[in-house]
């Protein structure tokens, strides 16, 4: 599906497993419906960190993305997690997601390798050149061991199909600097919170939304918070940001294992 606006609350969905550790495909389909219908997701992100992508085989990775795209059925865009610390692997997984019908790709910083900034630039450039999908970078140094610094992010943002970042750097100073420099670009560059505890301040600073694991249970509250901030009603937004992290179990999609 064509997508012109990547603002909003996107859910990086978990990957449900059965007791034998195989993918619970029926559970995944129920979860997709639940996230869209109950939690009002603006987009779904399969095979991210929350989806335990490092534990999936390539076949399972491909299957999860295909299942989520089919289950979403065009109701919301699917941003497929197809990053890797191996450039060729990231390209191949991204090509598969594009062929399967994903709307965009989430590209994590190469982990463990810890490339220097010029290496990060070369890696993401290579992936971008091999797909027509919009790419959202995933900056999460706490898990990868390497930060995409603001200068590098600005260079990457100049690439046509790199359209935003999931900001999980957990550093509000970094986020403020990133918002400042990317707002000077001639194109829209989306800054999405990837750190649930910092979603409220990032939105107040001008962020565009979140890829929020906690939206599995308080997605509607996050939407209300975004709307309140958009109308400068910060008191209401603060209330929504402090919403309980557990919802009525009667609305849940059921066990994710079994």
């Amino acid at each position: 599906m064509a997508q012109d606006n990547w603002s909003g609350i996107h859910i990086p969905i978990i990957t449900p497993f059965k007791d034998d550790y195989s993918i619970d495909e029926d559970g995944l389909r129920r979860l997709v419906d639940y996230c869209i219908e109950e939690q009002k997701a603006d987009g779904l992100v399969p095979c991210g960190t929350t989806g335990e992508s490092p534990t999936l085989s390539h076949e399972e990775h491909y299957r999860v993305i295909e299942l989520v795209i089919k289950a979403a059925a065009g109701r919301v865009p699917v941003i497929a997690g197809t990053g890797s610390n191996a450039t060729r692997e990231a390209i191949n997984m991204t090509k598969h997601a594009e062929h399967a019908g994903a709307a965009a790709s989430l590209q994590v910083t190469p982990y463990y390798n810890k490339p220097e900034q010029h290496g990060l630039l070369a890696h993401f450039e290579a992936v971008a050149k091999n797909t027509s999908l919009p790419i959202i970078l995933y900056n999460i140094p706490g898990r990868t061991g390497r930060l995409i610094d603001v200068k590098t992010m600005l260079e990457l943002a100049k690439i046509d199909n790199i359209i935003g970042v999931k900001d999980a750097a957990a550093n509000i100073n970094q986020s403020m600097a990133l918002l400042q420099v990317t707002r000077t670009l001639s194109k829209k560059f989306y800054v999405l919170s990837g750190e649930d505890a910092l979603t409220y301040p990032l939105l107040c600073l001008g962020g565009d939304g979140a890829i929020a694991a906690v939206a599995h249970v308080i997605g509607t509250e996050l939407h209300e918070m975004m709307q309140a901030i958009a109308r400068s009603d910060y008191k209401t937004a603060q209330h929504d940001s402090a919403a309980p992290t557990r919802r009525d179990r009667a609305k849940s999609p059921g066990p994710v294992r079994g």
Side-chain angles (χ1 to χ4, degrees), residues 77-201:
V78 174
I79 305 167
T82 57
S84 172
N85 64 340
T87 305
R88 182 179 296 175
E89 184 177 75
I91 290 170
N92 289 341
M93 289 195 296
T94 303
K95 285 181 174 180
H96 169 268
E98 183 171 8
H99 180 75
S105 165
L106 182 69
Q107 287 289 326
V108 70
T109 308
Y111 41 86
Y112 188 79
N113 301 352
K114 299 199 294 185
E116 299 296 337
Q117 295 300 310
H118 68 273
L120 295 177
L121 187 60
H123 171 83
F124 290 124
E125 281 182 332
V127 177
K129 287 177 181 178
N130 280 276
T131 183
S132 63
L133 287 180
I135 290 174
I136 298 173
L137 305 173
Y138 186 7
N139 198 14
I140 183 166
R143 291 186 183 269
T144 64
R146 181 64 74 211
L147 173 76
I148 310 173
D149 68 26
V150 173
K151 182 179 179 181
T152 302
M153 192 76 71
L154 187 58
E155 289 302 310
L156 289 166
K158 295 175 183 177
I159 297 172
D160 286 345
N161 60 331
I162 294 182
I163 54 91
V165 61
K166 177 182 178 181
D167 180 11
N171 184 324
I172 199 67
N173 290 324
Q174 161 95 7
S175 299
M176 287 191 292
L178 180 61
L179 285 164
Q180 182 181 25
V181 299
T182 55
R183 292 314 185 244
T184 66
L185 294 171
S186 59
K187 74 173 188 181
K188 175 67 176 176
F189 187 82
Y190 294 86
V191 179
L192 304 170
S193 173
E195 182 69 36
D196 289 341
L198 294 179
T199 296
Y200 170 75

Side-chain angles (χ1 to χ4, degrees), residues 15-30:
T15 301
F17 296 99
K18 297 181 180 179
D19 287 339
D20 64 359
Y21 307 110
S22 62
I23 296 169
D24 181 354
E25 297 192 359
D26 289 338
L28 182 57
R29 294 184 186 97
R30 292 199 308 273

Side-chain angles (χ1 to χ4, degrees), residues 24 39 49-50 76 193:
D24 181 354
Q39 297 301 342
T49 308
T50 306
V76 298
S193 173

